[in-house]
PDB file of all heavy atoms in Angstrom:
ATOM      1  N   ILE Y 218    -131.878 129.866 -43.649  1.00 93.00           N
ATOM      2  CA  ILE Y 218    -130.534 129.679 -43.241  1.00 93.00           C
ATOM      3  C   ILE Y 218    -129.590 130.452 -44.153  1.00 93.00           C
ATOM      4  O   ILE Y 218    -128.610 131.124 -43.698  1.00 93.00           O
ATOM      5  CB  ILE Y 218    -130.205 128.174 -43.135  1.00 93.00           C
ATOM      6  CG1 ILE Y 218    -130.932 127.572 -42.004  1.00 93.00           C
ATOM      7  CG2 ILE Y 218    -128.683 127.978 -42.990  1.00 93.00           C
ATOM      8  CD1 ILE Y 218    -130.840 126.001 -41.943  1.00 93.00           C
ATOM      9  N   PHE Y 219    -129.753 130.261 -45.476  1.00 91.00           N
ATOM     10  CA  PHE Y 219    -128.839 130.856 -46.407  1.00 91.00           C
ATOM     11  C   PHE Y 219    -129.064 132.366 -46.492  1.00 91.00           C
ATOM     12  O   PHE Y 219    -128.111 133.116 -46.928  1.00 91.00           O
ATOM     13  CB  PHE Y 219    -128.920 130.164 -47.718  1.00 91.00           C
ATOM     14  CG  PHE Y 219    -128.149 128.826 -47.677  1.00 91.00           C
ATOM     15  CD1 PHE Y 219    -128.789 127.650 -47.307  1.00 91.00           C
ATOM     16  CD2 PHE Y 219    -126.784 128.750 -47.879  1.00 91.00           C
ATOM     17  CE1 PHE Y 219    -128.144 126.490 -47.191  1.00 91.00           C
ATOM     18  CE2 PHE Y 219    -126.126 127.544 -47.871  1.00 91.00           C
ATOM     19  CZ  PHE Y 219    -126.770 126.417 -47.446  1.00 91.00           C
ATOM     20  N   THR Y 220    -130.244 132.811 -46.204  1.00 91.00           N
ATOM     21  CA  THR Y 220    -130.441 134.261 -46.196  1.00 91.00           C
ATOM     22  C   THR Y 220    -129.674 134.803 -45.024  1.00 91.00           C
ATOM     23  O   THR Y 220    -129.074 135.917 -45.148  1.00 91.00           O
ATOM     24  CB  THR Y 220    -131.939 134.550 -45.999  1.00 91.00           C
ATOM     25  OG1 THR Y 220    -132.710 133.954 -47.106  1.00 91.00           O
ATOM     26  CG2 THR Y 220    -132.180 136.075 -45.923  1.00 91.00           C
ATOM     27  N   ALA Y 221    -129.673 134.154 -43.878  1.00 92.00           N
ATOM     28  CA  ALA Y 221    -128.833 134.630 -42.728  1.00 92.00           C
ATOM     29  C   ALA Y 221    -127.311 134.643 -43.106  1.00 92.00           C
ATOM     30  O   ALA Y 221    -126.624 135.538 -42.674  1.00 92.00           O
ATOM     31  CB  ALA Y 221    -129.096 133.695 -41.542  1.00 92.00           C
ATOM     32  N   LEU Y 222    -126.896 133.697 -43.893  1.00 89.00           N
ATOM     33  CA  LEU Y 222    -125.419 133.607 -44.253  1.00 89.00           C
ATOM     34  C   LEU Y 222    -125.137 134.844 -45.192  1.00 89.00           C
ATOM     35  O   LEU Y 222    -123.952 135.255 -45.254  1.00 89.00           O
ATOM     36  CB  LEU Y 222    -125.173 132.351 -44.942  1.00 89.00           C
ATOM     37  CG  LEU Y 222    -125.188 131.054 -44.104  1.00 89.00           C
ATOM     38  CD1 LEU Y 222    -124.938 129.795 -44.982  1.00 89.00           C
ATOM     39  CD2 LEU Y 222    -124.235 131.142 -42.953  1.00 89.00           C
ATOM     40  N   GLU Y 223    -126.109 135.371 -45.912  1.00 86.00           N
ATOM     41  CA  GLU Y 223    -125.881 136.449 -46.813  1.00 86.00           C
ATOM     42  C   GLU Y 223    -126.067 137.766 -46.129  1.00 86.00           C
ATOM     43  O   GLU Y 223    -125.996 138.834 -46.772  1.00 86.00           O
ATOM     44  CB  GLU Y 223    -126.858 136.360 -48.019  1.00 86.00           C
ATOM     45  CG  GLU Y 223    -126.523 135.245 -48.955  1.00 86.00           C
ATOM     46  CD  GLU Y 223    -125.324 135.505 -49.771  1.00 86.00           C
ATOM     47  OE1 GLU Y 223    -124.982 136.653 -50.060  1.00 86.00           O
ATOM     48  OE2 GLU Y 223    -124.600 134.530 -50.226  1.00 86.00           O
ATOM     49  N   TRP Y 224    -126.412 137.819 -44.853  1.00 87.00           N
ATOM     50  CA  TRP Y 224    -126.789 139.035 -44.123  1.00 87.00           C
ATOM     51  C   TRP Y 224    -125.669 140.109 -44.255  1.00 87.00           C
ATOM     52  O   TRP Y 224    -125.978 141.287 -44.551  1.00 87.00           O
ATOM     53  CB  TRP Y 224    -127.089 138.704 -42.688  1.00 87.00           C
ATOM     54  CG  TRP Y 224    -127.436 139.871 -41.871  1.00 87.00           C
ATOM     55  CD1 TRP Y 224    -126.605 140.716 -41.138  1.00 87.00           C
ATOM     56  CD2 TRP Y 224    -128.764 140.491 -41.733  1.00 87.00           C
ATOM     57  NE1 TRP Y 224    -127.299 141.714 -40.533  1.00 87.00           N
ATOM     58  CE2 TRP Y 224    -128.640 141.627 -40.855  1.00 87.00           C
ATOM     59  CE3 TRP Y 224    -130.021 140.110 -42.259  1.00 87.00           C
ATOM     60  CZ2 TRP Y 224    -129.719 142.343 -40.470  1.00 87.00           C
ATOM     61  CZ3 TRP Y 224    -131.097 140.893 -41.868  1.00 87.00           C
ATOM     62  CH2 TRP Y 224    -130.952 142.023 -40.987  1.00 87.00           C
ATOM     63  N   GLU Y 225    -124.442 139.682 -44.006  1.00 83.00           N
ATOM     64  CA  GLU Y 225    -123.362 140.660 -44.002  1.00 83.00           C
ATOM     65  C   GLU Y 225    -123.104 141.246 -45.416  1.00 83.00           C
ATOM     66  O   GLU Y 225    -122.648 142.311 -45.539  1.00 83.00           O
ATOM     67  CB  GLU Y 225    -122.042 140.036 -43.508  1.00 83.00           C
ATOM     68  CG  GLU Y 225    -122.172 139.698 -41.988  1.00 83.00           C
ATOM     69  CD  GLU Y 225    -120.841 139.197 -41.484  1.00 83.00           C
ATOM     70  OE1 GLU Y 225    -119.925 139.038 -42.292  1.00 83.00           O
ATOM     71  OE2 GLU Y 225    -120.819 138.861 -40.271  1.00 83.00           O
ATOM     72  N   ASN Y 226    -123.412 140.470 -46.470  1.00 84.00           N
ATOM     73  CA  ASN Y 226    -123.139 140.912 -47.834  1.00 84.00           C
ATOM     74  C   ASN Y 226    -124.205 141.929 -48.363  1.00 84.00           C
ATOM     75  O   ASN Y 226    -123.922 142.772 -49.124  1.00 84.00           O
ATOM     76  CB  ASN Y 226    -123.043 139.756 -48.772  1.00 84.00           C
ATOM     77  CG  ASN Y 226    -121.900 138.823 -48.426  1.00 84.00           C
ATOM     78  OD1 ASN Y 226    -120.697 139.295 -48.255  1.00 84.00           O
ATOM     79  ND2 ASN Y 226    -122.172 137.557 -48.147  1.00 84.00           N
ATOM     80  N   ASP Y 227    -125.440 141.672 -47.965  1.00 85.00           N
ATOM     81  CA  ASP Y 227    -126.507 142.540 -48.459  1.00 85.00           C
ATOM     82  C   ASP Y 227    -127.655 142.477 -47.417  1.00 85.00           C
ATOM     83  O   ASP Y 227    -128.611 141.696 -47.502  1.00 85.00           O
ATOM     84  CB  ASP Y 227    -127.012 142.130 -49.837  1.00 85.00           C
ATOM     85  CG  ASP Y 227    -127.802 143.185 -50.485  1.00 85.00           C
ATOM     86  OD1 ASP Y 227    -128.613 143.848 -49.809  1.00 85.00           O
ATOM     87  OD2 ASP Y 227    -127.693 143.389 -51.760  1.00 85.00           O
ATOM     88  N   LYS Y 228    -127.628 143.384 -46.445  1.00 90.00           N
ATOM     89  CA  LYS Y 228    -128.636 143.417 -45.394  1.00 90.00           C
ATOM     90  C   LYS Y 228    -129.983 143.702 -45.936  1.00 90.00           C
ATOM     91  O   LYS Y 228    -131.032 143.230 -45.469  1.00 90.00           O
ATOM     92  CB  LYS Y 228    -128.212 144.377 -44.333  1.00 90.00           C
ATOM     93  CG  LYS Y 228    -127.002 144.010 -43.513  1.00 90.00           C
ATOM     94  CD  LYS Y 228    -126.658 144.985 -42.430  1.00 90.00           C
ATOM     95  CE  LYS Y 228    -125.468 144.567 -41.575  1.00 90.00           C
ATOM     96  NZ  LYS Y 228    -125.172 145.489 -40.517  1.00 90.00           N
ATOM     97  N   GLU Y 229    -130.024 144.605 -46.893  1.00 90.00           N
ATOM     98  CA  GLU Y 229    -131.415 145.076 -47.458  1.00 90.00           C
ATOM     99  C   GLU Y 229    -132.082 143.852 -48.128  1.00 90.00           C
ATOM    100  O   GLU Y 229    -133.281 143.636 -47.952  1.00 90.00           O
ATOM    101  CB  GLU Y 229    -131.188 146.194 -48.471  1.00 90.00           C
ATOM    102  CG  GLU Y 229    -132.544 146.660 -48.995  1.00 90.00           C
ATOM    103  CD  GLU Y 229    -132.309 147.835 -50.005  1.00 90.00           C
ATOM    104  OE1 GLU Y 229    -131.228 148.321 -50.206  1.00 90.00           O
ATOM    105  OE2 GLU Y 229    -133.427 148.229 -50.652  1.00 90.00           O
ATOM    106  N   TRP Y 230    -131.382 143.168 -48.895  1.00 91.00           N
ATOM    107  CA  TRP Y 230    -131.936 141.939 -49.603  1.00 91.00           C
ATOM    108  C   TRP Y 230    -132.354 140.863 -48.566  1.00 91.00           C
ATOM    109  O   TRP Y 230    -133.437 140.297 -48.633  1.00 91.00           O
ATOM    110  CB  TRP Y 230    -130.813 141.306 -50.547  1.00 91.00           C
ATOM    111  CG  TRP Y 230    -131.316 139.999 -51.125  1.00 91.00           C
ATOM    112  CD1 TRP Y 230    -132.049 139.845 -52.217  1.00 91.00           C
ATOM    113  CD2 TRP Y 230    -130.984 138.689 -50.585  1.00 91.00           C
ATOM    114  NE1 TRP Y 230    -132.267 138.470 -52.470  1.00 91.00           N
ATOM    115  CE2 TRP Y 230    -131.692 137.756 -51.479  1.00 91.00           C
ATOM    116  CE3 TRP Y 230    -130.266 138.194 -49.497  1.00 91.00           C
ATOM    117  CZ2 TRP Y 230    -131.578 136.412 -51.217  1.00 91.00           C
ATOM    118  CZ3 TRP Y 230    -130.185 136.808 -49.285  1.00 91.00           C
ATOM    119  CH2 TRP Y 230    -130.848 135.981 -50.161  1.00 91.00           C
ATOM    120  N   ALA Y 231    -131.489 140.635 -47.554  1.00 92.00           N
ATOM    121  CA  ALA Y 231    -131.773 139.642 -46.535  1.00 92.00           C
ATOM    122  C   ALA Y 231    -133.047 140.095 -45.752  1.00 92.00           C
ATOM    123  O   ALA Y 231    -133.909 139.200 -45.417  1.00 92.00           O
ATOM    124  CB  ALA Y 231    -130.640 139.427 -45.606  1.00 92.00           C
ATOM    125  N   GLU Y 232    -133.152 141.325 -45.476  1.00 92.00           N
ATOM    126  CA  GLU Y 232    -134.320 141.795 -44.700  1.00 92.00           C
ATOM    127  C   GLU Y 232    -135.581 141.578 -45.473  1.00 92.00           C
ATOM    128  O   GLU Y 232    -136.629 141.218 -44.925  1.00 92.00           O
ATOM    129  CB  GLU Y 232    -134.195 143.337 -44.397  1.00 92.00           C
ATOM    130  CG  GLU Y 232    -133.177 143.573 -43.283  1.00 92.00           C
ATOM    131  CD  GLU Y 232    -133.022 145.063 -43.041  1.00 92.00           C
ATOM    132  OE1 GLU Y 232    -133.580 145.899 -43.820  1.00 92.00           O
ATOM    133  OE2 GLU Y 232    -132.283 145.513 -42.125  1.00 92.00           O
TER     134      GLU Y 232
END
Side-chain angles (χ1 to χ4, degrees):
I218 289 172
F219 284 91
T220 301
L222 293 176
E223 290 288 332
W224 179 268
E225 293 184 359
N226 297 307
D227 196 323
K228 292 183 179 179
E229 182 180 356
W230 174 85
E232 285 178 355

